[in-house]
Amino acid sequence: MANPTSQPTTSPTKTDSWAVRMSDSVLQRSPEFYEKWEYDHGVIYRGLEWVGELTGDPKYMEFIKKHMDHFVDENGVIQRYKVDEYNIDHVNNGKLLFSLYRATGDERYKKAAYQLRSQLEKHPRTSEGAFWHKQIYPYQIWLDGLYMGAPFYAEFIREFGDPSEFDDVTLQFKLCYEHTRDPETGLLYHAWDEKGEQHWCNPETGCSKNFWGRSMGWFVMALVDVLDYIPEDHADRPLLIDMLTETLEALLKVRDKESGVFYQVLNLGHVKGNYLEASASCMILYAIAKGVRKGYLPEQYRQEAEIIRKGIIDEFITITEEGLVNLNKTVQVSGLGGKDRRDGTFAYYISEPIITNDPKGIGAFIQAMGEAERI
């Protein structure tokens, strides 16, 4: 999504719904069809889906359908997607296929969902059964991957699968939590290498070097979303709720006290070069607000959600002269390894570009504001 060219003014103090306003800004900007089947656009679509349900206005699902139909052909085959790349990110957009199938009854959406499920059937795993983040990142668990794969997997099981498969979904969280959690802070490292061989990891623990804000945002979003599908009587459901509570408690300890939002490198707000980052703040708000609404979190978290919501508006939102909503200060990307040999140091995380209206940030903002406004 291209950055806006209009000069922003200061953000307003009152609005009916920031979720609706940002969604309408997305539709008004009318991006061209995306050339790749990319996970970040699915984050926006998920937000638009929620706003469509909230408002009853069909234009949001029509927008989603138009863009998804650019990839899903008449036979239900997803174009410009390859199962055998085994990239867990590519599963994320599949979350929209279920609502499209329910709304239209069109079998091609179901077939497309089965195509993504076939990836998970053969997706490479660690020795304990956790999905590798990508085939090109062998034996690695990244927090990001829990959001990309687990909610789709769980909803597929609910719609078309065998309930016994829910054990495999919860296993993904248990293994990730076990291997990435820092016992001192309760925060989760961005990634873990089972072999302990990557240049970015501690060879003894296998963990990466820092606590990246958006990676933990992905993780807590994944938890509250997957709980929509895990049966009430599943043995691991209380464990996932405990995991959510413990992780959010750790996150609230490191947020910026003045603004109420979160840093790019979560626990190093005092270090020169670190900055308050929009997408992580929105994702954490989403998890808290939804957790309150669903009853997973104690009632006092409602106040915490309001502090973060206000902080996001004050810190990150501006309005263009045309009245479009901008979300500022989102890191474009942060990863580990690969051809650029991203080393996971603090210096690396603060070196990546910071942009306006990144799809990941916009999608998280719509979802976060929708949940915050709902409670």
Side-chain angles (χ1 to χ4, degrees):
M1 182 173 296
N3 288 355
T5 56
S6 302
Q7 292 298 313
T9 61
T10 57
S11 60
T13 57
K14 293 182 180 179
T15 181
D16 291 330
S17 170
W18 283 108
V20 173
R21 290 186 68 182
M22 180 63 89
S23 297
D24 289 346
S25 296
V26 169
L27 269 59
Q28 192 170 337
R29 287 183 178 116
S30 298
E32 298 295 324
F33 287 121
Y34 304 113
E35 290 305 312
K36 294 182 179 180
W37 176 260
E38 292 284 2
Y39 73 91
D40 47 0
H41 305 126
V43 187
I44 290 183
Y45 301 154
R46 196 67 162 175
L48 296 180
E49 178 186 38
W50 195 96
V51 170
E53 293 173 359
L54 176 71
T55 63
D57 192 327
K59 68 181 180 182
Y60 302 105
M61 282 305 294
E62 289 169 0
F63 181 91
I64 294 168
K65 185 177 186 301
K66 179 180 74 172
H67 285 261
M68 292 291 284
D69 286 353
H70 184 60
F71 293 97
V72 180
D73 70 14
E74 64 275 10
N75 297 312
V77 176
I78 303 170
Q79 301 300 303
R80 294 178 290 284
Y81 157 74
K82 295 180 179 179
V83 170
D84 58 8
E85 285 184 352
Y86 296 114
N87 181 341
I88 203 75
D89 287 346
H90 290 165
V91 176
N92 183 56
N93 290 355
K95 298 170 184 175
L96 284 306
L97 296 169
F98 302 110
S99 55
L100 287 171
Y101 178 63
R102 287 191 291 266
T104 66
D106 192 331
E107 288 291 319
R108 62 196 179 96
Y109 297 122
K110 181 177 179 180
K111 291 176 182 177
Y114 268 90
Q115 187 179 3
L116 293 169
R117 177 67 181 92
S118 72
Q119 174 184 325
L120 297 181
E121 288 177 358
K122 297 181 180 179
H123 197 99
R125 299 176 182 239
T126 66
S127 63
E128 297 170 301
F131 293 126
W132 294 3
H133 188 61
K134 299 180 184 180
Q135 185 166 245
I136 61 172
Y137 298 141
Y139 299 98
Q140 297 170 38
I141 303 173
W142 294 20
L143 300 184
D144 321 29
L146 275 296
Y147 180 81
M148 304 303 161
F152 167 86
Y153 191 6
E155 189 168 5
F156 185 95
I157 294 167
R158 189 189 71 175
E159 297 295 323
F160 310 121
D162 186 325
S164 65
E165 296 175 298
F166 284 120
D167 291 351
D168 194 28
V169 178
T170 61
L171 177 67
Q172 305 306 312
F173 288 93
K174 291 191 288 186
L175 292 174
C176 181
Y177 198 66
E178 174 188 347
H179 290 299
T180 64
R181 185 175 185 271
D182 173 46
E184 292 187 12
T185 64
L187 298 172
L188 277 58
Y189 290 101
H190 184 180
W192 174 74
D193 171 27
E194 181 178 26
K195 299 295 185 181
E197 297 173 348
Q198 295 298 316
H199 69 286
W200 47 257
C201 79
N202 180 321
E204 294 183 4
T205 65
C207 291
S208 56
K209 300 179 178 74
N210 281 286
F211 307 113
W212 177 39
R214 187 157 72 221
S215 70
M216 288 202 66
W218 289 129
F219 184 79
V220 292
M221 285 184 82
L223 276 169
V224 292
D225 283 355
V226 87
L227 283 165
D228 288 341
Y229 312 113
I230 302 298
E232 293 286 341
D233 60 351
H234 193 280
D236 290 332
R237 186 177 174 86
L239 182 63
L240 296 186
I241 294 173
D242 288 345
M243 204 179 289
L244 174 68
T245 304
E246 291 169 2
T247 305
L248 290 173
E249 286 176 355
L251 284 166
L252 288 174
K253 290 177 182 177
V254 296
R255 71 174 169 187
D256 178 57
K257 296 299 187 291
E258 182 176 349
S259 66
V261 295
F262 297 84
Y263 285 95
Q264 162 73 344
V265 181
L266 287 162
N267 63 327
L268 299 179
H270 60 286
V271 179
K272 183 180 179 180
N274 206 356
Y275 58 92
L276 300 173
E277 201 278 331
S279 65
S281 301
C282 292
M283 291 174 178
I284 295 166
L285 171 58
Y286 172 79
I288 291 174
K290 186 172 182 178
V292 170
R293 180 172 66 83
K294 291 280 192 172
Y296 309 142
L297 300 175
E299 185 62 22
Q300 60 262 32
Y301 274 82
R302 186 182 300 269
Q303 181 179 356
E304 304 294 350
E306 177 55 23
I307 292 170
I308 300 169
R309 188 200 68 82
K310 185 177 185 303
I312 288 170
I313 300 303
D314 292 344
E315 186 68 31
F316 303 124
I317 292 298
T318 53
I319 308 299
T320 70
E321 293 172 355
E322 296 82 9
L324 302 180
V325 182
N326 285 344
L327 181 73
N328 304 296
K329 301 182 185 178
T330 298
V331 65
Q332 187 170 31
V333 65
S334 293
L336 294 163
K339 62 181 180 180
D340 299 324
R341 290 191 60 80
R342 300 167 293 185
D343 62 5
T345 59
F346 175 83
Y348 161 69
Y349 281 110
I350 65 168
S351 72
E352 289 285 10
I354 306 167
I355 65 174
T356 294
N357 292 339
D358 176 86
K360 300 175 287 295
I362 286 178
F365 176 84
I366 295 171
Q367 295 184 60
M369 289 298 140
E371 285 292 347
E373 291 162 7
R374 195 168 178 180
I375 65 168

